[in-house]
PDB file of all heavy atoms in Angstrom:
ATOM      1  N   LEU Y  97      48.991-145.196 -70.753  1.00 97.00           N
ATOM      2  CA  LEU Y  97      48.658-145.205 -72.182  1.00 97.00           C
ATOM      3  C   LEU Y  97      47.168-145.464 -72.396  1.00 97.00           C
ATOM      4  O   LEU Y  97      46.548-144.867 -73.285  1.00 97.00           O
ATOM      5  CB  LEU Y  97      49.487-146.264 -72.897  1.00 97.00           C
ATOM      6  CG  LEU Y  97      50.996-146.016 -72.956  1.00 97.00           C
ATOM      7  CD1 LEU Y  97      51.717-147.215 -73.564  1.00 97.00           C
ATOM      8  CD2 LEU Y  97      51.291-144.753 -73.751  1.00 97.00           C
ATOM      9  N   PHE Y  98      46.589-146.338 -71.559  1.00 96.00           N
ATOM     10  CA  PHE Y  98      45.153-146.569 -71.640  1.00 96.00           C
ATOM     11  C   PHE Y  98      44.385-145.295 -71.352  1.00 96.00           C
ATOM     12  O   PHE Y  98      43.442-144.935 -72.087  1.00 96.00           O
ATOM     13  CB  PHE Y  98      44.732-147.661 -70.643  1.00 96.00           C
ATOM     14  CG  PHE Y  98      43.275-147.614 -70.302  1.00 96.00           C
ATOM     15  CD1 PHE Y  98      42.307-148.025 -71.223  1.00 96.00           C
ATOM     16  CD2 PHE Y  98      42.845-147.136 -69.056  1.00 96.00           C
ATOM     17  CE1 PHE Y  98      40.947-147.955 -70.912  1.00 96.00           C
ATOM     18  CE2 PHE Y  98      41.492-147.076 -68.746  1.00 96.00           C
ATOM     19  CZ  PHE Y  98      40.539-147.479 -69.669  1.00 96.00           C
ATOM     20  N   ALA Y  99      44.761-144.582 -70.291  1.00 97.00           N
ATOM     21  CA  ALA Y  99      44.077-143.339 -69.927  1.00 97.00           C
ATOM     22  C   ALA Y  99      44.198-142.299 -71.029  1.00 97.00           C
ATOM     23  O   ALA Y  99      43.229-141.600 -71.354  1.00 97.00           O
ATOM     24  CB  ALA Y  99      44.650-142.792 -68.611  1.00 97.00           C
ATOM     25  N   LEU Y 100      45.394-142.192 -71.628  1.00 97.00           N
ATOM     26  CA  LEU Y 100      45.586-141.240 -72.718  1.00 97.00           C
ATOM     27  C   LEU Y 100      44.679-141.560 -73.902  1.00 97.00           C
ATOM     28  O   LEU Y 100      44.051-140.664 -74.476  1.00 97.00           O
ATOM     29  CB  LEU Y 100      47.057-141.246 -73.151  1.00 97.00           C
ATOM     30  CG  LEU Y 100      47.440-140.297 -74.292  1.00 97.00           C
ATOM     31  CD1 LEU Y 100      47.164-138.853 -73.910  1.00 97.00           C
ATOM     32  CD2 LEU Y 100      48.905-140.472 -74.667  1.00 97.00           C
ATOM     33  N   CYS Y 101      44.611-142.825 -74.266  1.00 97.00           N
ATOM     34  CA  CYS Y 101      43.732-143.235 -75.373  1.00 97.00           C
ATOM     35  C   CYS Y 101      42.262-142.997 -75.024  1.00 97.00           C
ATOM     36  O   CYS Y 101      41.463-142.621 -75.892  1.00 97.00           O
ATOM     37  CB  CYS Y 101      43.951-144.702 -75.707  1.00 97.00           C
ATOM     38  SG  CYS Y 101      45.534-145.045 -76.500  1.00 97.00           S
ATOM     39  N   GLU Y 102      41.910-143.187 -73.759  1.00 96.00           N
ATOM     40  CA  GLU Y 102      40.541-142.938 -73.315  1.00 96.00           C
ATOM     41  C   GLU Y 102      40.192-141.457 -73.485  1.00 96.00           C
ATOM     42  O   GLU Y 102      39.092-141.121 -73.939  1.00 96.00           O
ATOM     43  CB  GLU Y 102      40.385-143.358 -71.856  1.00 96.00           C
ATOM     44  CG  GLU Y 102      38.948-143.338 -71.368  1.00 96.00           C
ATOM     45  CD  GLU Y 102      38.827-143.703 -69.908  1.00 96.00           C
ATOM     46  OE1 GLU Y 102      39.757-143.400 -69.123  1.00 96.00           O
ATOM     47  OE2 GLU Y 102      37.788-144.287 -69.523  1.00 96.00           O
ATOM     48  N   TYR Y 103      41.137-140.570 -73.142  1.00 97.00           N
ATOM     49  CA  TYR Y 103      40.911-139.131 -73.355  1.00 97.00           C
ATOM     50  C   TYR Y 103      40.657-138.851 -74.838  1.00 97.00           C
ATOM     51  O   TYR Y 103      39.747-138.089 -75.190  1.00 97.00           O
ATOM     52  CB  TYR Y 103      42.132-138.305 -72.919  1.00 97.00           C
ATOM     53  CG  TYR Y 103      42.535-138.451 -71.479  1.00 97.00           C
ATOM     54  CD1 TYR Y 103      43.798-138.026 -71.056  1.00 97.00           C
ATOM     55  CD2 TYR Y 103      41.693-139.005 -70.522  1.00 97.00           C
ATOM     56  CE1 TYR Y 103      44.200-138.141 -69.748  1.00 97.00           C
ATOM     57  CE2 TYR Y 103      42.091-139.130 -69.201  1.00 97.00           C
ATOM     58  CZ  TYR Y 103      43.357-138.702 -68.811  1.00 97.00           C
ATOM     59  OH  TYR Y 103      43.758-138.813 -67.512  1.00 97.00           O
ATOM     60  N   LEU Y 104      41.475-139.455 -75.703  1.00 97.00           N
ATOM     61  CA  LEU Y 104      41.350-139.205 -77.135  1.00 97.00           C
ATOM     62  C   LEU Y 104      40.029-139.734 -77.691  1.00 97.00           C
ATOM     63  O   LEU Y 104      39.456-139.130 -78.604  1.00 97.00           O
ATOM     64  CB  LEU Y 104      42.532-139.842 -77.879  1.00 97.00           C
ATOM     65  CG  LEU Y 104      43.911-139.248 -77.574  1.00 97.00           C
ATOM     66  CD1 LEU Y 104      45.000-140.019 -78.303  1.00 97.00           C
ATOM     67  CD2 LEU Y 104      43.965-137.765 -77.942  1.00 97.00           C
ATOM     68  N   VAL Y 105      39.540-140.853 -77.134  1.00 97.00           N
ATOM     69  CA  VAL Y 105      38.232-141.368 -77.540  1.00 97.00           C
ATOM     70  C   VAL Y 105      37.146-140.348 -77.245  1.00 97.00           C
ATOM     71  O   VAL Y 105      36.300-140.037 -78.096  1.00 97.00           O
ATOM     72  CB  VAL Y 105      37.927-142.693 -76.817  1.00 97.00           C
ATOM     73  CG1 VAL Y 105      36.447-143.074 -76.997  1.00 97.00           C
ATOM     74  CG2 VAL Y 105      38.812-143.816 -77.344  1.00 97.00           C
ATOM     75  N   VAL Y 106      37.184-139.794 -76.047  1.00 96.00           N
ATOM     76  CA  VAL Y 106      36.155-138.830 -75.633  1.00 96.00           C
ATOM     77  C   VAL Y 106      36.298-137.524 -76.412  1.00 96.00           C
ATOM     78  O   VAL Y 106      35.299-136.959 -76.870  1.00 96.00           O
ATOM     79  CB  VAL Y 106      36.243-138.573 -74.117  1.00 96.00           C
ATOM     80  CG1 VAL Y 106      35.298-137.446 -73.702  1.00 96.00           C
ATOM     81  CG2 VAL Y 106      35.900-139.842 -73.353  1.00 96.00           C
ATOM     82  N   PHE Y 107      37.526-137.032 -76.588  1.00 97.00           N
ATOM     83  CA  PHE Y 107      37.723-135.779 -77.321  1.00 97.00           C
ATOM     84  C   PHE Y 107      37.302-135.910 -78.787  1.00 97.00           C
ATOM     85  O   PHE Y 107      36.715-134.976 -79.349  1.00 97.00           O
ATOM     86  CB  PHE Y 107      39.189-135.339 -77.233  1.00 97.00           C
ATOM     87  CG  PHE Y 107      39.605-134.860 -75.865  1.00 97.00           C
ATOM     88  CD1 PHE Y 107      40.893-135.090 -75.387  1.00 97.00           C
ATOM     89  CD2 PHE Y 107      38.718-134.185 -75.058  1.00 97.00           C
ATOM     90  CE1 PHE Y 107      41.274-134.659 -74.128  1.00 97.00           C
ATOM     91  CE2 PHE Y 107      39.092-133.757 -73.791  1.00 97.00           C
ATOM     92  CZ  PHE Y 107      40.373-133.997 -73.327  1.00 97.00           C
ATOM     93  N   SER Y 108      37.604-137.031 -79.410  1.00 97.00           N
ATOM     94  CA  SER Y 108      37.199-137.219 -80.809  1.00 97.00           C
ATOM     95  C   SER Y 108      35.686-137.373 -80.924  1.00 97.00           C
ATOM     96  O   SER Y 108      35.089-136.954 -81.920  1.00 97.00           O
ATOM     97  CB  SER Y 108      37.910-138.435 -81.412  1.00 97.00           C
ATOM     98  OG  SER Y 108      37.629-139.613 -80.698  1.00 97.00           O
ATOM     99  N   ASN Y 109      35.062-137.961 -79.904  1.00 96.00           N
ATOM    100  CA  ASN Y 109      33.600-138.045 -79.875  1.00 96.00           C
ATOM    101  C   ASN Y 109      32.986-136.651 -79.808  1.00 96.00           C
ATOM    102  O   ASN Y 109      32.022-136.337 -80.519  1.00 96.00           O
ATOM    103  CB  ASN Y 109      33.149-138.899 -78.696  1.00 96.00           C
ATOM    104  CG  ASN Y 109      31.636-138.948 -78.553  1.00 96.00           C
ATOM    105  OD1 ASN Y 109      31.030-138.062 -77.942  1.00 96.00           O
ATOM    106  ND2 ASN Y 109      31.013-139.981 -79.080  1.00 96.00           N
ATOM    107  N   MET Y 110      33.551-135.805 -78.962  1.00 96.00           N
ATOM    108  CA  MET Y 110      33.069-134.420 -78.860  1.00 96.00           C
ATOM    109  C   MET Y 110      33.273-133.675 -80.170  1.00 96.00           C
ATOM    110  O   MET Y 110      32.393-132.927 -80.616  1.00 96.00           O
ATOM    111  CB  MET Y 110      33.807-133.691 -77.732  1.00 96.00           C
ATOM    112  CG  MET Y 110      33.521-134.223 -76.337  1.00 96.00           C
ATOM    113  SD  MET Y 110      34.488-133.325 -75.096  1.00 96.00           S
ATOM    114  CE  MET Y 110      34.041-134.210 -73.599  1.00 96.00           C
ATOM    115  N   ALA Y 111      34.429-133.868 -80.795  1.00 96.00           N
ATOM    116  CA  ALA Y 111      34.709-133.205 -82.068  1.00 96.00           C
ATOM    117  C   ALA Y 111      33.733-133.657 -83.150  1.00 96.00           C
ATOM    118  O   ALA Y 111      33.318-132.869 -84.002  1.00 96.00           O
ATOM    119  CB  ALA Y 111      36.150-133.473 -82.487  1.00 96.00           C
ATOM    120  N   PHE Y 112      33.368-134.940 -83.122  1.00 97.00           N
ATOM    121  CA  PHE Y 112      32.399-135.457 -84.085  1.00 97.00           C
ATOM    122  C   PHE Y 112      31.076-134.715 -83.951  1.00 97.00           C
ATOM    123  O   PHE Y 112      30.469-134.321 -84.955  1.00 97.00           O
ATOM    124  CB  PHE Y 112      32.191-136.958 -83.866  1.00 97.00           C
ATOM    125  CG  PHE Y 112      31.392-137.637 -84.927  1.00 97.00           C
ATOM    126  CD1 PHE Y 112      32.000-138.221 -86.018  1.00 97.00           C
ATOM    127  CD2 PHE Y 112      30.003-137.694 -84.845  1.00 97.00           C
ATOM    128  CE1 PHE Y 112      31.268-138.855 -87.009  1.00 97.00           C
ATOM    129  CE2 PHE Y 112      29.254-138.312 -85.822  1.00 97.00           C
ATOM    130  CZ  PHE Y 112      29.878-138.895 -86.913  1.00 97.00           C
ATOM    131  N   HIS Y 113      30.610-134.528 -82.721  1.00 95.00           N
ATOM    132  CA  HIS Y 113      29.359-133.799 -82.516  1.00 95.00           C
ATOM    133  C   HIS Y 113      29.507-132.316 -82.877  1.00 95.00           C
ATOM    134  O   HIS Y 113      28.528-131.656 -83.230  1.00 95.00           O
ATOM    135  CB  HIS Y 113      28.911-133.941 -81.061  1.00 95.00           C
ATOM    136  CG  HIS Y 113      28.421-135.319 -80.722  1.00 95.00           C
ATOM    137  ND1 HIS Y 113      27.235-135.829 -81.220  1.00 95.00           N
ATOM    138  CD2 HIS Y 113      28.951-136.301 -79.948  1.00 95.00           C
ATOM    139  CE1 HIS Y 113      27.055-137.058 -80.756  1.00 95.00           C
ATOM    140  NE2 HIS Y 113      28.088-137.374 -80.000  1.00 95.00           N
ATOM    141  N   MET Y 114      30.728-131.805 -82.792  1.00 93.00           N
ATOM    142  CA  MET Y 114      30.977-130.408 -83.138  1.00 93.00           C
ATOM    143  C   MET Y 114      30.795-130.141 -84.623  1.00 93.00           C
ATOM    144  O   MET Y 114      30.632-128.981 -85.043  1.00 93.00           O
ATOM    145  CB  MET Y 114      32.402-130.018 -82.706  1.00 93.00           C
ATOM    146  CG  MET Y 114      32.702-128.535 -82.766  1.00 93.00           C
ATOM    147  SD  MET Y 114      32.129-127.635 -81.320  1.00 93.00           S
ATOM    148  CE  MET Y 114      33.458-127.969 -80.177  1.00 93.00           C
ATOM    149  N   THR Y 115      30.788-131.178 -85.462  1.00 93.00           N
ATOM    150  CA  THR Y 115      30.609-130.967 -86.905  1.00 93.00           C
ATOM    151  C   THR Y 115      29.214-130.436 -87.247  1.00 93.00           C
ATOM    152  O   THR Y 115      28.965-130.071 -88.389  1.00 93.00           O
ATOM    153  CB  THR Y 115      30.841-132.282 -87.689  1.00 93.00           C
ATOM    154  OG1 THR Y 115      29.933-133.297 -87.225  1.00 93.00           O
ATOM    155  CG2 THR Y 115      32.275-132.771 -87.514  1.00 93.00           C
ATOM    156  N   ALA Y 116      28.333-130.389 -86.261  1.00 91.00           N
ATOM    157  CA  ALA Y 116      27.035-129.736 -86.462  1.00 91.00           C
ATOM    158  C   ALA Y 116      27.228-128.267 -86.863  1.00 91.00           C
ATOM    159  O   ALA Y 116      26.333-127.650 -87.448  1.00 91.00           O
ATOM    160  CB  ALA Y 116      26.206-129.813 -85.188  1.00 91.00           C
ATOM    161  N   PHE Y 117      28.402-127.727 -86.570  1.00 88.00           N
ATOM    162  CA  PHE Y 117      28.731-126.351 -86.962  1.00 88.00           C
ATOM    163  C   PHE Y 117      28.602-126.178 -88.472  1.00 88.00           C
ATOM    164  O   PHE Y 117      28.128-125.151 -88.966  1.00 88.00           O
ATOM    165  CB  PHE Y 117      30.157-126.015 -86.515  1.00 88.00           C
ATOM    166  CG  PHE Y 117      30.599-124.612 -86.846  1.00 88.00           C
ATOM    167  CD1 PHE Y 117      30.326-123.565 -85.984  1.00 88.00           C
ATOM    168  CD2 PHE Y 117      31.278-124.350 -88.034  1.00 88.00           C
ATOM    169  CE1 PHE Y 117      30.733-122.275 -86.299  1.00 88.00           C
ATOM    170  CE2 PHE Y 117      31.679-123.069 -88.347  1.00 88.00           C
ATOM    171  CZ  PHE Y 117      31.409-122.020 -87.473  1.00 88.00           C
ATOM    172  N   TRP Y 118      29.019-127.192 -89.243  1.00 89.00           N
ATOM    173  CA  TRP Y 118      28.889-127.128 -90.713  1.00 89.00           C
ATOM    174  C   TRP Y 118      27.513-127.593 -91.168  1.00 89.00           C
ATOM    175  O   TRP Y 118      26.983-127.082 -92.162  1.00 89.00           O
ATOM    176  CB  TRP Y 118      29.962-128.009 -91.371  1.00 89.00           C
ATOM    177  CG  TRP Y 118      31.341-127.474 -91.267  1.00 89.00           C
ATOM    178  CD1 TRP Y 118      31.813-126.297 -91.786  1.00 89.00           C
ATOM    179  CD2 TRP Y 118      32.435-128.080 -90.597  1.00 89.00           C
ATOM    180  NE1 TRP Y 118      33.145-126.150 -91.477  1.00 89.00           N
ATOM    181  CE2 TRP Y 118      33.559-127.227 -90.756  1.00 89.00           C
ATOM    182  CE3 TRP Y 118      32.604-129.265 -89.886  1.00 89.00           C
ATOM    183  CZ2 TRP Y 118      34.815-127.524 -90.226  1.00 89.00           C
ATOM    184  CZ3 TRP Y 118      33.853-129.573 -89.352  1.00 89.00           C
ATOM    185  CH2 TRP Y 118      34.934-128.702 -89.528  1.00 89.00           C
ATOM    186  N   ASP Y 119      26.939-128.539 -90.444  1.00 89.00           N
ATOM    187  CA  ASP Y 119      25.661-129.108 -90.886  1.00 89.00           C
ATOM    188  C   ASP Y 119      24.513-128.113 -90.835  1.00 89.00           C
ATOM    189  O   ASP Y 119      23.616-128.145 -91.680  1.00 89.00           O
ATOM    190  CB  ASP Y 119      25.306-130.322 -90.011  1.00 89.00           C
ATOM    191  CG  ASP Y 119      26.360-131.408 -90.074  1.00 89.00           C
ATOM    192  OD1 ASP Y 119      27.159-131.406 -91.039  1.00 89.00           O
ATOM    193  OD2 ASP Y 119      26.384-132.251 -89.162  1.00 89.00           O
ATOM    194  N   PHE Y 120      24.540-127.213 -89.840  1.00 87.00           N
ATOM    195  CA  PHE Y 120      23.406-126.296 -89.638  1.00 87.00           C
ATOM    196  C   PHE Y 120      23.880-124.846 -89.533  1.00 87.00           C
ATOM    197  O   PHE Y 120      23.368-124.074 -88.727  1.00 87.00           O
ATOM    198  CB  PHE Y 120      22.644-126.672 -88.365  1.00 87.00           C
ATOM    199  CG  PHE Y 120      22.158-128.095 -88.360  1.00 87.00           C
ATOM    200  CD1 PHE Y 120      22.741-129.030 -87.514  1.00 87.00           C
ATOM    201  CD2 PHE Y 120      21.143-128.508 -89.192  1.00 87.00           C
ATOM    202  CE1 PHE Y 120      22.303-130.347 -87.495  1.00 87.00           C
ATOM    203  CE2 PHE Y 120      20.698-129.817 -89.198  1.00 87.00           C
ATOM    204  CZ  PHE Y 120      21.278-130.733 -88.344  1.00 87.00           C
ATOM    205  N   ARG Y 121      24.823-124.491 -90.367  1.00 81.00           N
ATOM    206  CA  ARG Y 121      25.449-123.170 -90.255  1.00 81.00           C
ATOM    207  C   ARG Y 121      24.446-122.026 -90.422  1.00 81.00           C
ATOM    208  O   ARG Y 121      24.567-120.988 -89.771  1.00 81.00           O
ATOM    209  CB  ARG Y 121      26.553-123.045 -91.309  1.00 81.00           C
ATOM    210  CG  ARG Y 121      27.425-121.818 -91.097  1.00 81.00           C
ATOM    211  CD  ARG Y 121      28.778-121.978 -91.744  1.00 81.00           C
ATOM    212  NE  ARG Y 121      29.698-120.949 -91.307  1.00 81.00           N
ATOM    213  CZ  ARG Y 121      31.016-121.075 -91.328  1.00 81.00           C
ATOM    214  NH1 ARG Y 121      31.556-122.203 -91.715  1.00 81.00           N
ATOM    215  NH2 ARG Y 121      31.794-120.099 -90.939  1.00 81.00           N
ATOM    216  N   SER Y 122      23.457-122.178 -91.258  1.00 78.00           N
ATOM    217  CA  SER Y 122      22.511-121.096 -91.531  1.00 78.00           C
ATOM    218  C   SER Y 122      21.201-121.265 -90.764  1.00 78.00           C
ATOM    219  O   SER Y 122      20.255-120.509 -90.977  1.00 78.00           O
ATOM    220  CB  SER Y 122      22.210-121.016 -93.031  1.00 78.00           C
ATOM    221  OG  SER Y 122      21.633-122.242 -93.476  1.00 78.00           O
ATOM    222  N   LYS Y 123      21.133-122.267 -89.873  1.00 80.00           N
ATOM    223  CA  LYS Y 123      19.896-122.552 -89.155  1.00 80.00           C
ATOM    224  C   LYS Y 123      19.888-121.893 -87.770  1.00 80.00           C
ATOM    225  O   LYS Y 123      20.929-121.498 -87.258  1.00 80.00           O
ATOM    226  CB  LYS Y 123      19.690-124.064 -89.011  1.00 80.00           C
ATOM    227  CG  LYS Y 123      19.699-124.829 -90.325  1.00 80.00           C
ATOM    228  CD  LYS Y 123      18.525-124.435 -91.201  1.00 80.00           C
ATOM    229  CE  LYS Y 123      18.395-125.374 -92.404  1.00 80.00           C
ATOM    230  NZ  LYS Y 123      19.556-125.335 -93.311  1.00 80.00           N
ATOM    231  N   GLU Y 124      18.668-121.808 -87.197  1.00 80.00           N
ATOM    232  CA  GLU Y 124      18.507-121.208 -85.867  1.00 80.00           C
ATOM    233  C   GLU Y 124      17.609-122.061 -84.992  1.00 80.00           C
ATOM    234  O   GLU Y 124      16.727-122.761 -85.484  1.00 80.00           O
ATOM    235  CB  GLU Y 124      17.898-119.803 -85.979  1.00 80.00           C
ATOM    236  CG  GLU Y 124      18.779-118.782 -86.651  1.00 80.00           C
ATOM    237  CD  GLU Y 124      18.106-117.416 -86.730  1.00 80.00           C
ATOM    238  OE1 GLU Y 124      16.851-117.376 -86.787  1.00 80.00           O
ATOM    239  OE2 GLU Y 124      18.819-116.394 -86.720  1.00 80.00           O
ATOM    240  N   VAL Y 125      17.855-121.993 -83.688  1.00 76.00           N
ATOM    241  CA  VAL Y 125      16.927-122.553 -82.709  1.00 76.00           C
ATOM    242  C   VAL Y 125      16.011-121.421 -82.282  1.00 76.00           C
ATOM    243  O   VAL Y 125      16.471-120.398 -81.775  1.00 76.00           O
ATOM    244  CB  VAL Y 125      17.678-123.122 -81.487  1.00 76.00           C
ATOM    245  CG1 VAL Y 125      16.683-123.610 -80.435  1.00 76.00           C
ATOM    246  CG2 VAL Y 125      18.597-124.254 -81.902  1.00 76.00           C
ATOM    247  N   THR Y 126      14.706-121.605 -82.489  1.00 80.00           N
ATOM    248  CA  THR Y 126      13.751-120.522 -82.251  1.00 80.00           C
ATOM    249  C   THR Y 126      12.641-120.965 -81.305  1.00 80.00           C
ATOM    250  O   THR Y 126      12.105-122.068 -81.449  1.00 80.00           O
ATOM    251  CB  THR Y 126      13.121-120.053 -83.577  1.00 80.00           C
ATOM    252  OG1 THR Y 126      14.163-119.646 -84.474  1.00 80.00           O
ATOM    253  CG2 THR Y 126      12.181-118.869 -83.343  1.00 80.00           C
ATOM    254  N   VAL Y 127      12.320-120.107 -80.355  1.00 76.00           N
ATOM    255  CA  VAL Y 127      11.160-120.299 -79.486  1.00 76.00           C
ATOM    256  C   VAL Y 127      10.158-119.204 -79.854  1.00 76.00           C
ATOM    257  O   VAL Y 127      10.457-118.016 -79.738  1.00 76.00           O
ATOM    258  CB  VAL Y 127      11.526-120.197 -77.995  1.00 76.00           C
ATOM    259  CG1 VAL Y 127      10.266-120.349 -77.121  1.00 76.00           C
ATOM    260  CG2 VAL Y 127      12.549-121.255 -77.626  1.00 76.00           C
ATOM    261  N   ALA Y 128       8.973-119.600 -80.337  1.00 74.00           N
ATOM    262  CA  ALA Y 128       7.986-118.637 -80.811  1.00 74.00           C
ATOM    263  C   ALA Y 128       6.595-119.091 -80.398  1.00 74.00           C
ATOM    264  O   ALA Y 128       6.365-120.220 -79.989  1.00 74.00           O
ATOM    265  CB  ALA Y 128       8.075-118.487 -82.324  1.00 74.00           C
TER     266      ALA Y 128
END
């Protein structure tokens, strides 16, 4: 059960960072 909860901690952390999809939807990374 500890290991399962540990997986969920990491997966939810990744999902939190994935919200950048909405934060910068119209933005680009540019090298110029």
Side-chain angles (χ1 to χ4, degrees):
L97 293 174
F98 159 73
L100 180 61
C101 289
E102 189 182 32
Y103 301 164
L104 295 177
V105 168
V106 173
F107 290 146
S108 59
N109 176 275
M110 294 178 183
F112 189 92
H113 289 290
M114 191 82 82
T115 58
F117 181 87
W118 289 297
D119 301 341
F120 304 110
R121 191 158 192 156
S122 61
K123 304 295 190 297
E124 293 180 331
V125 176
T126 303
V127 178

